[in-house]
Amino acid sequence: MHKIRSIIYISILGLLLAGIIVDHIEGPVLTRALARVPIVGALWGTPTNFAPASTTPIELAATSTNAATANATSTATALAKSSVITATEIIVLTNMERANVAGLPPLQENVLLDAAAAIKLNDLFKEQYFAHISPSGVGPGDLAIEAGYNYVVEGENLAEGDFMSTQNLMDAWMASPGHRANILNDRYTNIGVAVGKGMYKGQEVWMAVQEFGKPLSSCPQIDSRLRQAIVANQTKATDLSQQLDSIKQALIATATGTPNENSTYNQIAQHYNDDVDIYNGVVTRLKAEIAVYNQQVEAFNACVNG
């Protein structure tokens, strides 16, 4: 009897637009322009699926390094005759399916995803459940993050049963639409695998875990220091705008009167115009910074959204 499960987690990093009011002053005339600064956030979905729990030891099979997809026919024949299922064979056959069925590049084995898969495998046997979410509420995305793998998209395939070979296991996954979709997902670049034989529900069975992912580091990064500079210049522009408003009120108050009062007006006007030059310089920098920042956010979100 065989059981298999699949799941995909997506890191959704969308745009939350916060408006920045940019004041532009030339002489005593005040006009306003609006710019936008997107802010990026992250959210991971959490499916639910639970099963009863108990404790049983596990005998693990070792993981290995990446395998090539050359000589697909002869390799597949050899693996089909094997009575032992290994992580290396699972990776080899996974990459064969990607190449032969969809013309996709091979997934690179990732030690962090290997670690996440091993944690999952141990927990399946220890807690005696077969689901993507553990009885304590921990899902594949949680395990990837715990292992140090920050992802854009992450998926998991599970298998449990009396599989006779790695090919037998892979055939079962490829016959299931959800598992097949994970194996042939063109967004994934990394894979981690753990496989072992142990006692589950009173029977000795094979269990296998595939963890797929695309690392967050593969996307263009957003300069956090640039974001800080934008906030600082926004504050500076606001302060200068308030200061200019106060000077403008003083100008209005001294706009008419005696020659001495006109002299005072000219001094205030000079002060006002000097501050306008400073303010316009800050606004110019702010607009340029916002443009660069928005380009970075757009590139990052395009990568995240696929």
Coordinates of all heavy atoms in Angstrom, one line a residue, residues 160-243:
E160 N 4.8 7.3 1.5 CA 4.9 6.3 2.6 C 4.3 5.0 2.0 O 3.3 5.0 1.3 CB 4.1 6.7 3.8 CG 3.9 5.7 4.9 CD 2.7 4.8 4.8 OE1 1.6 5.3 4.5 OE2 2.8 3.6 4.9
G161 N 5.0 3.8 2.2 CA 4.5 2.6 1.7 C 5.6 1.5 1.5 O 6.7 1.7 1.9
D162 N 5.2 0.4 0.9 CA 6.1 -0.7 0.7 C 6.6 -0.6 -0.8 O 6.5 -1.6 -1.5 CB 5.3 -2.0 0.9 CG 4.1 -2.2 0.1 OD1 3.6 -1.1 -0.5 OD2 3.5 -3.3 0.0
F163 N 7.2 0.5 -1.1 CA 7.8 0.6 -2.4 C 8.9 -0.4 -2.7 O 9.8 -0.6 -1.8 CB 8.3 2.1 -2.6 CG 7.3 3.1 -2.4 CD1 7.2 3.8 -1.2 CD2 6.4 3.4 -3.4 CE1 6.2 4.8 -1.0 CE2 5.4 4.4 -3.2 CZ 5.3 5.1 -2.1
M164 N 8.9 -1.0 -3.9 CA 9.9 -2.0 -4.2 C 11.2 -1.4 -4.7 O 12.3 -2.0 -4.7 CB 9.4 -2.9 -5.2 CG 8.1 -3.7 -4.8 SD 8.4 -4.6 -3.2 CE 9.7 -5.8 -3.8
S165 N 11.2 -0.1 -5.2 CA 12.4 0.5 -5.7 C 12.2 2.0 -5.8 O 11.0 2.5 -5.6 CB 12.7 0.0 -7.1 OG 11.6 0.4 -8.0
T166 N 13.2 2.8 -6.0 CA 13.1 4.2 -6.2 C 12.3 4.5 -7.4 O 11.5 5.5 -7.4 CB 14.5 4.8 -6.4 OG1 15.4 4.4 -5.3 CG2 14.4 6.4 -6.3
Q167 N 12.4 3.8 -8.5 CA 11.6 4.0 -9.7 C 10.1 3.8 -9.4 O 9.2 4.6 -9.9 CB 12.0 3.1 -10.8 CG 11.3 3.3 -12.1 CD 11.7 4.7 -12.7 OE1 12.8 5.0 -13.0 NE2 10.7 5.5 -12.9
N168 N 9.8 2.8 -8.6 CA 8.4 2.5 -8.1 C 7.8 3.7 -7.4 O 6.7 4.1 -7.6 CB 8.4 1.3 -7.3 CG 7.0 0.9 -6.8 OD1 6.8 0.4 -5.7 ND2 6.0 1.0 -7.6
L169 N 8.7 4.3 -6.5 CA 8.3 5.5 -5.8 C 8.1 6.7 -6.7 O 7.1 7.4 -6.6 CB 9.3 5.8 -4.7 CG 9.3 7.2 -4.1 CD1 7.9 7.4 -3.4 CD2 10.4 7.4 -3.1
M170 N 9.0 6.9 -7.6 CA 8.9 8.0 -8.6 C 7.7 7.9 -9.5 O 7.0 8.9 -9.8 CB 10.2 8.1 -9.4 CG 10.2 9.3 -10.3 SD 10.1 10.9 -9.5 CE 11.5 10.9 -8.4
D171 N 7.4 6.7 -9.9 CA 6.2 6.4 -10.7 C 4.9 6.8 -10.0 O 4.0 7.4 -10.6 CB 6.1 4.9 -11.1 CG 7.2 4.6 -12.1 OD1 7.8 5.5 -12.8 OD2 7.5 3.3 -12.3
A172 N 4.9 6.5 -8.7 CA 3.7 6.9 -7.9 C 3.5 8.4 -7.8 O 2.4 8.9 -7.9 CB 3.8 6.3 -6.5
W173 N 4.7 9.1 -7.6 CA 4.6 10.6 -7.5 C 4.2 11.1 -8.9 O 3.3 12.0 -8.9 CB 6.0 11.1 -7.1 CG 6.1 11.2 -5.6 CD1 5.2 11.4 -4.7 CD2 7.4 11.3 -5.0 NE1 5.7 11.5 -3.5 CE2 7.1 11.4 -3.6 CE3 8.7 11.2 -5.4 CZ2 8.1 11.5 -2.6 CZ3 9.7 11.3 -4.4 CH2 9.4 11.4 -3.0
M174 N 4.7 10.6 -10.0 CA 4.5 11.2 -11.3 C 3.0 10.9 -11.7 O 2.5 11.6 -12.6 CB 5.5 10.7 -12.3 CG 6.9 11.2 -12.2 SD 6.9 13.1 -12.3 CE 6.6 13.2 -14.1
A175 N 2.4 9.8 -11.2 CA 1.0 9.5 -11.5 C 0.0 10.4 -10.8 O -1.2 10.4 -11.1 CB 0.8 8.0 -11.2
S176 N 0.5 11.2 -9.8 CA -0.4 12.0 -9.0 C -0.2 13.5 -9.5 O 0.9 14.0 -9.5 CB 0.0 12.0 -7.5 OG -0.6 13.0 -6.8
P177 N -1.3 14.2 -9.9 CA -1.1 15.5 -10.5 C -0.4 16.5 -9.6 O 0.4 17.3 -10.0 CB -2.6 15.9 -10.7 CG -3.3 14.7 -10.9 CD -2.7 13.7 -10.0
G178 N -0.7 16.5 -8.2 CA 0.0 17.4 -7.3 C 1.4 17.2 -7.2 O 2.3 18.1 -7.2
H179 N 1.8 15.9 -7.1 CA 3.3 15.6 -6.9 C 4.0 15.8 -8.2 O 5.1 16.3 -8.2 CB 3.4 14.1 -6.5 CG 2.8 13.8 -5.2 ND1 1.4 13.6 -5.1 CD2 3.3 13.8 -3.9 CE1 1.1 13.4 -3.8 NE2 2.2 13.5 -3.1
R180 N 3.4 15.5 -9.3 CA 4.0 15.7 -10.6 C 4.2 17.2 -10.8 O 5.2 17.6 -11.4 CB 3.0 15.2 -11.7 CG 3.5 15.4 -13.2 CD 2.4 14.9 -14.1 NE 2.8 15.1 -15.5 CZ 3.3 14.2 -16.3 NH1 3.6 13.0 -15.7 NH2 3.7 14.4 -17.5
A181 N 3.2 18.0 -10.4 CA 3.4 19.5 -10.6 C 4.6 20.0 -9.8 O 5.3 20.9 -10.2 CB 2.1 20.2 -10.1
N182 N 4.8 19.5 -8.6 CA 5.9 19.9 -7.8 C 7.2 19.5 -8.5 O 8.2 20.3 -8.6 CB 5.9 19.3 -6.4 CG 5.4 20.2 -5.4 OD1 5.2 21.4 -5.6 ND2 5.0 19.6 -4.2
I183 N 7.3 18.3 -9.0 CA 8.5 17.8 -9.7 C 8.8 18.6 -10.9 O 10.0 18.8 -11.2 CB 8.4 16.3 -10.0 CG1 8.4 15.5 -8.7 CG2 9.5 15.8 -10.9 CD1 8.0 14.0 -8.8
L184 N 7.8 19.0 -11.6 CA 8.0 19.7 -12.9 C 7.8 21.2 -12.8 O 7.7 21.9 -13.8 CB 7.0 19.2 -13.9 CG 7.1 17.7 -14.2 CD1 6.0 17.3 -15.3 CD2 8.5 17.3 -14.7
N185 N 7.8 21.7 -11.6 CA 7.6 23.2 -11.4 C 8.9 23.9 -11.9 O 10.0 23.7 -11.3 CB 7.4 23.5 -9.9 CG 6.9 24.9 -9.7 OD1 7.4 25.8 -10.3 ND2 6.0 25.1 -8.7
D186 N 8.7 24.8 -12.8 CA 9.9 25.5 -13.4 C 10.4 26.6 -12.5 O 11.4 27.2 -12.9 CB 9.5 26.0 -14.8 CG 8.4 27.1 -14.8 OD1 7.9 27.4 -13.7 OD2 8.1 27.5 -15.9
R187 N 9.7 26.9 -11.4 CA 10.2 28.0 -10.5 C 11.3 27.4 -9.6 O 12.1 28.2 -9.0 CB 9.1 28.6 -9.8 CG 8.1 29.3 -10.7 CD 7.2 30.3 -9.9 NE 8.0 31.4 -9.3 CZ 7.6 32.2 -8.3 NH1 6.4 32.0 -7.8 NH2 8.3 33.2 -7.9
Y188 N 11.2 26.1 -9.3 CA 12.2 25.6 -8.3 C 13.6 25.5 -8.9 O 13.8 25.2 -10.1 CB 11.8 24.1 -7.9 CG 10.4 24.0 -7.2 CD1 9.6 22.9 -7.5 CD2 10.0 25.0 -6.3 CE1 8.4 22.8 -6.8 CE2 8.8 24.9 -5.7 CZ 8.0 23.8 -5.9 OH 6.8 23.7 -5.3
T189 N 14.6 25.7 -8.1 CA 16.0 25.6 -8.5 C 16.7 24.6 -7.6 O 17.8 24.2 -8.0 CB 16.7 26.9 -8.6 OG1 16.6 27.5 -7.2 CG2 16.1 27.9 -9.6
N190 N 16.2 24.4 -6.4 CA 16.9 23.6 -5.4 C 16.0 22.4 -5.0 O 14.8 22.5 -5.1 CB 17.3 24.4 -4.2 CG 18.3 25.5 -4.4 OD1 18.2 26.5 -3.8 ND2 19.2 25.3 -5.4
I191 N 16.7 21.4 -4.5 CA 16.0 20.2 -3.9 C 16.7 19.7 -2.7 O 17.9 19.8 -2.6 CB 15.8 19.1 -5.0 CG1 14.9 18.0 -4.4 CG2 17.1 18.6 -5.4 CD1 14.5 16.9 -5.5
G192 N 16.0 19.2 -1.8 CA 16.5 18.4 -0.6 C 15.7 17.2 -0.4 O 14.5 17.2 -0.6
V193 N 16.4 16.1 -0.1 CA 15.7 14.8 0.0 C 16.1 14.1 1.3 O 17.3 14.1 1.7 CB 15.9 13.9 -1.2 CG1 15.3 12.5 -1.1 CG2 15.4 14.6 -2.5
A194 N 15.2 13.4 1.9 CA 15.5 12.4 3.0 C 14.6 11.2 2.8 O 13.4 11.3 2.4 CB 15.3 13.0 4.4
V195 N 15.2 10.0 3.0 CA 14.4 8.8 2.8 C 14.8 7.8 3.9 O 16.0 7.8 4.3 CB 14.6 8.2 1.4 CG1 16.0 7.9 1.1 CG2 13.7 7.0 1.2
G196 N 13.9 7.0 4.4 CA 14.3 6.0 5.4 C 13.2 5.0 5.5 O 12.1 5.1 5.1
K197 N 13.6 3.9 6.2 CA 12.7 2.7 6.4 C 12.5 2.6 7.9 O 13.5 2.6 8.7 CB 13.3 1.5 5.8 CG 12.2 0.3 5.6 CD 12.9 -0.8 4.8 CE 11.8 -1.8 4.4 NZ 12.4 -2.9 3.6
G198 N 11.3 2.4 8.4 CA 11.0 2.3 9.8 C 9.6 1.9 10.1 O 8.9 1.5 9.1
M199 N 9.2 1.8 11.3 CA 7.9 1.3 11.7 C 6.9 2.5 11.7 O 7.2 3.6 12.3 CB 8.0 0.7 13.1 CG 8.9 -0.5 13.2 SD 8.4 -1.8 12.0 CE 6.7 -2.2 12.6
Y200 N 5.8 2.3 11.0 CA 4.7 3.2 11.0 C 3.4 2.5 11.1 O 3.1 1.6 10.3 CB 4.8 4.1 9.7 CG 3.6 5.0 9.5 CD1 3.5 6.1 10.4 CD2 2.6 4.8 8.5 CE1 2.4 7.0 10.2 CE2 1.6 5.7 8.4 CZ 1.5 6.8 9.2 OH 0.4 7.7 9.1
K201 N 2.6 2.8 12.2 CA 1.3 2.2 12.4 C 1.5 0.7 12.4 O 0.6 -0.1 11.9 CB 0.3 2.6 11.3 CG 0.1 4.0 11.1 CD -0.4 4.7 12.3 CE -0.8 6.2 12.1 NZ -1.3 6.9 13.3
G202 N 2.6 0.2 13.0 CA 2.8 -1.3 13.2 C 3.3 -2.0 12.0 O 3.5 -3.2 12.1
Q203 N 3.7 -1.3 11.0 CA 4.3 -1.9 9.8 C 5.6 -1.3 9.4 O 5.8 0.0 9.6 CB 3.3 -1.8 8.6 CG 2.0 -2.6 8.8 CD 1.1 -2.5 7.5 OE1 1.2 -1.6 6.8 NE2 0.3 -3.5 7.3
E204 N 6.5 -2.0 8.8 CA 7.7 -1.5 8.4 C 7.5 -0.9 7.0 O 7.1 -1.7 6.0 CB 8.8 -2.6 8.3 CG 10.2 -2.0 8.0 CD 11.3 -3.0 8.1 OE1 11.1 -4.2 7.6 OE2 12.4 -2.7 8.6
V205 N 7.8 0.3 6.8 CA 7.5 1.0 5.5 C 8.7 1.9 5.2 O 9.5 2.3 6.0 CB 6.2 1.8 5.6 CG1 5.0 0.9 5.8 CG2 6.3 2.9 6.6
W206 N 8.7 2.3 3.9 CA 9.5 3.4 3.4 C 8.8 4.7 3.6 O 7.6 4.8 3.3 CB 9.9 3.2 2.0 CG 11.0 2.1 1.7 CD1 10.7 0.9 1.2 CD2 12.4 2.3 1.9 NE1 11.9 0.2 1.1 CE2 13.0 1.0 1.5 CE3 13.2 3.3 2.3 CZ2 14.3 0.8 1.5 CZ3 14.6 3.1 2.3 CH2 15.1 1.9 1.9
M207 N 9.5 5.7 4.0 CA 9.0 7.1 3.9 C 10.0 7.9 3.2 O 11.2 7.8 3.4 CB 8.7 7.7 5.3 CG 7.4 7.2 5.9 SD 6.9 8.3 7.2 CE 5.4 7.5 7.7
A208 N 9.5 8.8 2.3 CA 10.4 9.7 1.6 C 9.9 11.2 1.6 O 8.7 11.4 1.6 CB 10.6 9.3 0.1
V209 N 10.8 12.1 1.7 CA 10.5 13.5 1.7 C 11.3 14.3 0.7 O 12.5 14.2 0.6 CB 10.7 14.2 3.1 CG1 10.4 15.6 3.1 CG2 10.0 13.4 4.2
Q210 N 10.6 15.0 -0.2 CA 11.2 15.9 -1.1 C 10.9 17.3 -0.7 O 9.7 17.6 -0.5 CB 10.7 15.7 -2.6 CG 11.2 14.5 -3.3 CD 10.7 14.4 -4.7 OE1 9.5 14.6 -4.9 NE2 11.5 14.2 -5.7
E211 N 11.9 18.2 -0.6 CA 11.7 19.6 -0.3 C 12.2 20.3 -1.5 O 13.4 20.2 -1.9 CB 12.4 20.1 0.9 CG 12.0 19.4 2.2 CD 10.6 19.7 2.6 OE1 10.0 20.7 2.1 OE2 10.0 19.1 3.5
F212 N 11.4 21.1 -2.2 CA 11.8 21.9 -3.3 C 11.8 23.4 -2.9 O 11.1 23.9 -2.0 CB 10.7 21.8 -4.5 CG 10.5 20.4 -4.9 CD1 9.4 19.7 -4.3 CD2 11.3 19.8 -5.9 CE1 9.1 18.4 -4.7 CE2 11.0 18.5 -6.3 CZ 9.9 17.8 -5.7
G213 N 12.6 24.2 -3.6 CA 12.6 25.6 -3.3 C 13.4 26.5 -4.3 O 14.1 26.0 -5.2
K214 N 13.1 27.8 -4.2 CA 13.8 28.8 -4.9 C 14.2 29.8 -3.8 O 13.4 30.3 -3.1 CB 13.0 29.5 -6.0 CG 13.7 30.7 -6.6 CD 12.8 31.3 -7.7 CE 13.6 32.5 -8.3 NZ 12.8 33.1 -9.4
P215 N 15.5 30.0 -3.6 CA 16.0 30.9 -2.5 C 15.7 32.3 -2.7 O 15.7 32.8 -3.9 CB 17.5 30.6 -2.5 CG 17.9 30.3 -3.9 CD 16.7 29.5 -4.4
L216 N 15.4 33.0 -1.7 CA 15.1 34.4 -1.7 C 16.3 35.2 -2.2 O 16.1 36.3 -2.9 CB 14.7 34.9 -0.3 CG 14.0 36.3 -0.2 CD1 12.8 36.4 -1.0 CD2 13.8 36.7 1.3
S217 N 17.5 34.7 -2.0 CA 18.7 35.4 -2.4 C 18.8 35.4 -3.9 O 19.7 36.2 -4.4 CB 19.9 34.7 -1.8 OG 20.0 33.3 -2.2
S218 N 18.1 34.6 -4.6 CA 18.1 34.6 -6.1 C 17.4 35.8 -6.7 O 17.6 36.1 -7.9 CB 17.6 33.3 -6.6 OG 16.2 33.3 -6.4
C219 N 16.7 36.5 -5.9 CA 15.9 37.7 -6.4 C 16.8 39.0 -6.2 O 17.5 39.1 -5.2 CB 14.6 37.9 -5.7 SG 13.4 36.6 -6.2
P220 N 16.6 40.0 -7.0 CA 17.3 41.3 -6.8 C 17.0 41.8 -5.5 O 15.8 41.8 -5.1 CB 16.8 42.2 -8.0 CG 16.3 41.2 -9.0 CD 15.8 40.0 -8.2
Q221 N 17.9 42.3 -4.8 CA 17.7 42.8 -3.4 C 17.4 44.3 -3.4 O 17.7 45.1 -4.3 CB 19.0 42.5 -2.5 CG 19.3 41.1 -2.4 CD 18.2 40.2 -1.8 OE1 17.8 40.5 -0.7 NE2 17.6 39.3 -2.6
I222 N 16.6 44.7 -2.3 CA 16.2 46.1 -2.1 C 17.2 46.7 -1.1 O 17.4 46.1 -0.1 CB 14.8 46.2 -1.7 CG1 13.8 45.5 -2.7 CG2 14.4 47.6 -1.3 CD1 12.4 45.4 -2.3
D223 N 17.7 47.9 -1.4 CA 18.7 48.6 -0.6 C 18.0 49.2 0.6 O 17.3 50.2 0.5 CB 19.4 49.6 -1.4 CG 20.6 50.2 -0.7 OD1 20.7 50.0 0.6 OD2 21.4 51.0 -1.3
S224 N 18.1 48.6 1.8 CA 17.5 49.1 3.0 C 18.1 50.4 3.4 O 17.3 51.3 4.0 CB 17.6 48.1 4.1 OG 19.0 47.9 4.4
R225 N 19.3 50.7 3.1 CA 19.9 52.0 3.4 C 19.3 53.1 2.6 O 19.2 54.2 3.0 CB 21.4 51.9 3.2 CG 22.2 51.0 4.2 CD 23.6 50.9 3.9 NE 23.8 50.3 2.6 CZ 25.0 50.0 2.0 NH1 26.1 50.4 2.7 NH2 25.1 49.5 0.8
L226 N 18.9 52.8 1.3 CA 18.3 53.7 0.5 C 16.9 54.1 1.1 O 16.5 55.2 1.1 CB 18.1 53.2 -0.9 CG 17.4 54.1 -2.0 CD1 18.1 55.4 -2.1 CD2 17.3 53.4 -3.3
R227 N 16.2 53.1 1.6 CA 14.9 53.3 2.2 C 15.1 54.3 3.4 O 14.3 55.2 3.6 CB 14.3 52.0 2.6 CG 12.9 52.1 3.3 CD 11.9 52.5 2.3 NE 10.5 52.6 2.9 CZ 10.0 53.7 3.5 NH1 10.7 54.8 3.5 NH2 8.8 53.6 4.0
Q228 N 16.1 54.0 4.2 CA 16.4 54.9 5.3 C 16.7 56.3 4.9 O 16.2 57.3 5.6 CB 17.5 54.3 6.2 CG 17.2 53.0 6.8 CD 18.4 52.3 7.4 OE1 19.5 52.8 7.3 NE2 18.2 51.2 8.1
A229 N 17.4 56.5 3.8 CA 17.8 57.8 3.3 C 16.5 58.5 2.8 O 16.4 59.7 3.0 CB 18.8 57.7 2.2
I230 N 15.6 57.8 2.2 CA 14.3 58.4 1.8 C 13.5 58.9 3.0 O 13.0 60.0 2.9 CB 13.5 57.4 1.0 CG1 14.2 57.1 -0.4 CG2 12.1 57.8 0.8 CD1 13.5 56.0 -1.2
V231 N 13.5 58.1 4.0 CA 12.7 58.5 5.2 C 13.4 59.7 5.8 O 12.7 60.7 6.2 CB 12.7 57.4 6.2 CG1 12.1 57.8 7.5 CG2 11.8 56.2 5.7
A232 N 14.7 59.7 5.9 CA 15.4 60.9 6.5 C 15.2 62.2 5.7 O 14.9 63.2 6.2 CB 16.9 60.6 6.6
N233 N 15.3 62.0 4.3 CA 15.0 63.2 3.5 C 13.6 63.7 3.5 O 13.3 64.8 3.3 CB 15.5 62.9 2.1 CG 17.0 63.1 1.9 OD1 17.6 63.9 2.6 ND2 17.6 62.3 1.0
Q234 N 12.7 62.7 3.7 CA 11.3 63.1 3.8 C 11.1 63.9 5.0 O 10.4 65.0 5.0 CB 10.4 61.8 3.9 CG 8.9 62.1 4.0 CD 8.1 60.9 4.2 OE1 8.6 59.8 4.4 NE2 6.8 61.0 4.1
T235 N 11.7 63.5 6.1 CA 11.6 64.3 7.4 C 12.2 65.6 7.2 O 11.6 66.7 7.7 CB 12.3 63.5 8.5 OG1 11.6 62.2 8.7 CG2 12.2 64.3 9.8
K236 N 13.4 65.7 6.6 CA 14.0 67.0 6.4 C 13.2 67.9 5.5 O 13.1 69.1 5.8 CB 15.4 66.7 5.7 CG 16.3 68.0 5.6 CD 17.7 67.6 5.1 CE 18.6 68.8 5.1 NZ 19.9 68.5 4.6
A237 N 12.6 67.3 4.5 CA 11.8 68.2 3.6 C 10.6 68.7 4.3 O 10.2 69.9 4.1 CB 11.3 67.4 2.4
T238 N 10.0 67.9 5.2 CA 8.8 68.3 5.9 C 9.2 69.5 6.9 O 8.5 70.5 7.0 CB 8.2 67.2 6.7 OG1 7.8 66.1 5.8 CG2 7.0 67.6 7.6
D239 N 10.3 69.3 7.6 CA 10.8 70.4 8.5 C 11.1 71.7 7.7 O 10.7 72.8 8.2 CB 12.0 69.9 9.2 CG 11.8 68.7 10.2 OD1 10.6 68.5 10.5 OD2 12.7 68.1 10.6
L240 N 11.7 71.6 6.6 CA 12.0 72.7 5.8 C 10.8 73.4 5.3 O 10.7 74.7 5.3 CB 12.9 72.4 4.6 CG 14.4 72.2 5.0 CD1 15.1 71.6 3.8 CD2 15.1 73.5 5.4
S241 N 9.8 72.6 4.9 CA 8.5 73.1 4.4 C 7.8 74.0 5.5 O 7.3 75.1 5.3 CB 7.6 72.0 4.0 OG 6.3 72.5 3.6
Q242 N 7.8 73.4 6.7 CA 7.2 74.2 7.9 C 8.0 75.4 8.2 O 7.4 76.5 8.5 CB 7.2 73.3 9.1 CG 6.3 72.1 9.0 CD 6.4 71.1 10.1 OE1 7.3 71.2 11.0 NE2 5.5 70.1 10.2
Q243 N 9.3 75.4 8.1 CA 10.1 76.6 8.3 C 9.8 77.6 7.2 O 9.7 78.8 7.5 CB 11.6 76.2 8.2 CG 12.5 77.3 8.5 CD 14.0 76.8 8.6 OE1 14.3 75.7 9.0 NE2 14.9 77.7 8.1

